Structures are given as C-alpha cells and as structure tokens.
Amino acid sequence: MSFTAPGGPHIVIEKERPMTDPKTHTIEVPGATLHYDVREPESGSGRPVLLMIGSPMDATGFTTLAGHFQDRTVVTYDPRGIGRSTRTDGLIESTPDLHADDLRLLIDALGAGPVDIFASSGGAVNGLALVARHPEQVRTLVAHEPPAAQELPDRERALAAIADIRATYDRDGFGAAMARFIGTSGWRGELPADLSELPAPDPAQLGMPAEDDGSRDDVLFAQNLITCTHHRHDFEALRSASTRIVVGVGVESEGEMACRSAVAVAGRLGTEPVTFPSNHGGFLGDEFGMRGDPDAFAVTLRRVLDESE
C-alpha cells in the first residue's frame, strides 16, 4: 500500500506480517470486570506491547488502527462501565484516577510492562493519570487530544460550557445533550461567555433522537464527562516521569477545545505537540461511520513510537 502524505513524500507501507485473531480475556478489578483483547503477531517481535485506550470509546474503535501494527502485540480494552466491562461498585461516575488504577492492574495482568500506549481523547486523560502515578509501567505514552479543560486559558468558560452540557443531559436527555456537546466541542477558538445561551443544533438534524427516553446512564454524559474534563493533572509528576510523553493534535482540529487543551498540556510539559493527520478521531476506519485517515495516522504513530527505540 502507498500514498502521498499532504505536503510530504510518497510513502510506501510494506505488507504487515500476519496477526493472530484477537483473543478476549477478562480481569477482575475492584468494582468491575474488565474485558480486553490481545492481538499477537504470528512471530515474536521483541517490542513492547502496544496498548490502545480510549474513553468513553471501547475497544471496537481501535480495530482499524490495530491492523496497522501487526508486527507487535496490540491490546485494546473496554473501560469500566463501557462496552463489555461491567461495574459492580454501584457507582455511576468514573474518575481518571480510577481508570488509571484499572490500567495499572491490566498491565500487571499482561506481565509485559513497560508498555507503549496510544491514548485517545478521554483515554489520553486516563493515560496521563496512569503515568503520573505509575511511570514505570509505560515506556512511551502518545496522548492524542486529551480534553484537559482545566489547562485552557479560557478554562472558566470551558468548564461552565461542559457543566451546561451535563445539565442539559440531566434535564433533557441524550439527544439534546449530544447536540450541545457537538456544538461546544467543535467551536474553534476561545469560548464565548454566553455559549450556553446560544441556540444548540437541532438533535434531529444531527441524526440524534429528539425525544428524551428517560435514561440517564450514558457512558459519556453520566459517567465520564465532568470527571474527565475537570481533572487536574499532576504536571510535576509527569515532567519527572521516566515515561516519554508525546502529545498529539489533529491537523484538522486546530482551534477546537480538545486540540487547544492538548497544546496547553504540551506546554505544561515543556514539549511541542506532534501533528497527526485528520481530526480528533483521525485513526478511525469505518467503525462508527466517521472515517478519519487511518493509513496516514498509523504512519505518524509508528514514527513517533519508533523514536523511542
């Protein structure tokens, strides 16, 4: 396979070595049963395990990207309360520190640390929380567009806008909240003070349910939205960590909240963000009908990971 990168050279991707079918495993952690999938190359590579994590996205979102790394063991998982991973703690919200504890136990169960991690969105927030607490478990963390709203120059407006999304969910349900979420997350530049007062997109025009079904257990709005975006990162611990931390941004995401947050996180770490092809979900294939540019994205991710060798 080959393609020409935008503004760059013609790239030829060598045929990957075959990978075995993913094998699903479970691990019991305090308050949850986690499901994870292991894809192994047919012959050993001697390279660190590559763990791909998201939130609130489950393992299915990494199917296309995992296929680009058939020369090494790739692990994906469903975070607690998401997909196949069920909760037994009776709680609704999950904090980044709680997800970090789950990831620590997952890596321990793999017996393969330190691992490399590609972390997307809320998964990037959770990955940073893991490295702050257990840097010895991670060789390289690629944190792609963590929505760390606390680090934004307009943090008060951002946090207020996020709180309004949650209030909309509690009041009007999923469709109305998702319409507000899309409008807020896609806003380019600093957020206006009156964003919550501006008309939200029509849920029906976005393909969202216009009626409230009465449920209030959505994995984004009920479980992770507030705790993820409001999390305060331990930058002192992150800067002193043995882990190599690379913050990624999408070339098409410039000005959006998650991209601006990523730039701010990189600044707090004293590094420059790495630009990846496409947008916030640039690694996606056809998993959710919002295809990015997974071929080019994988090339950039492989280059970043190879720089740790």
Side-chain angles (χ1 to χ4, degrees):
M1 172 171 33
S2 65
F3 65 94
T4 300
H10 187 71
I11 299 173
V12 177
I13 305 174
E14 294 183 0
K15 183 178 181 181
E16 305 275 13
R17 284 181 285 176
M19 177 182 280
T20 60
D21 292 334
K23 296 180 180 178
T24 300
H25 307 266
T26 61
I27 176 177
E28 299 294 328
V29 300
T33 301
L34 304 180
H35 284 67
Y36 65 98
D37 304 308
V38 179
R39 297 169 173 83
E40 295 181 342
E42 291 191 351
S43 58
S45 68
R47 306 187 70 191
V49 166
L50 176 55
L51 177 59
M52 298 179 176
I53 62 175
S55 180
M57 189 178 74
D58 63 16
T60 59
F62 294 108
T63 302
T64 298
L65 185 62
H68 286 276
F69 290 87
Q70 298 186 19
D71 57 338
R72 62 196 296 176
T73 298
V74 176
V75 177
T76 56
Y77 93 120
D78 294 352
R80 67 168 56 214
I82 299 172
R84 302 160 295 174
S85 293
T86 55
R87 304 187 72 142
T88 58
D89 56 10
L91 302 176
I92 295 178
E93 287 191 324
S94 298
T95 66
D97 286 338
L98 184 56
H99 285 304
D101 285 339
D102 289 346
L103 289 166
R104 173 182 62 84
L105 294 172
L106 173 57
I107 294 170
D108 284 345
L110 293 172
V115 301
D116 287 343
I117 296 180
F118 169 70
S120 166
S121 193
V125 171
N126 300 338
L128 289 165
L130 171 66
V131 169
R133 295 154 69 97
H134 301 284
E136 74 284 351
Q137 286 195 317
V138 185
R139 185 188 74 147
T140 298
L141 168 66
V142 181
H144 187 256
E145 297 202 353
Q150 291 279 11
E151 308 311 318
L152 290 171
D154 53 334
R155 60 180 296 277
E156 296 299 336
R157 293 180 179 183
L159 295 174
I162 294 165
D164 180 68
I165 294 170
R166 174 60 188 267
T168 300
Y169 175 70
D170 291 339
R171 183 183 63 249
D172 301 324
F174 176 83
M178 182 55 75
R180 181 70 71 182
F181 176 84
I182 292 172
T184 301
S185 61
W187 188 279
R188 294 184 185 270
E190 293 195 2
L191 297 170
D194 62 346
L195 182 63
S196 64
E197 301 173 9
L198 298 178
D202 181 356
Q205 291 183 348
L206 297 174
M208 304 296 167
E211 300 298 324
D212 180 5
D213 66 3
S215 65
R216 293 296 185 270
D217 58 357
D218 182 72
V219 295
L220 170 59
F221 299 120
Q223 293 187 40
N224 294 285
L225 178 67
I226 298 297
T227 56
C228 174
T229 56
H230 287 52
H231 181 72
R232 290 187 176 274
H233 292 278
D234 185 346
F235 285 100
E236 182 177 353
L238 291 169
R239 286 190 294 266
S240 63
S242 56
T243 303
R244 175 176 174 248
I245 302 173
V246 178
V247 179
V249 296
V251 68
E252 297 174 12
S253 305
E254 185 176 358
E256 295 178 356
M257 184 186 295
C259 182
R260 292 195 300 120
S261 297
V263 172
V265 168
R268 293 291 304 274
L269 294 173
T271 65
E272 292 292 330
V274 173
T275 300
F276 280 75
S278 195
N279 50 36
H280 188 66
F283 56 90
L284 291 172
D286 297 320
E287 289 88 354
F288 306 122
M290 299 177 290
R291 187 178 181 87
D293 189 357
D295 294 344
F297 195 101
V299 169
T300 301
L301 178 57
R302 183 178 290 277
R303 172 178 59 79
V304 169
L305 294 173
D306 286 348
E307 288 172 354
S308 294
E309 298 292 339

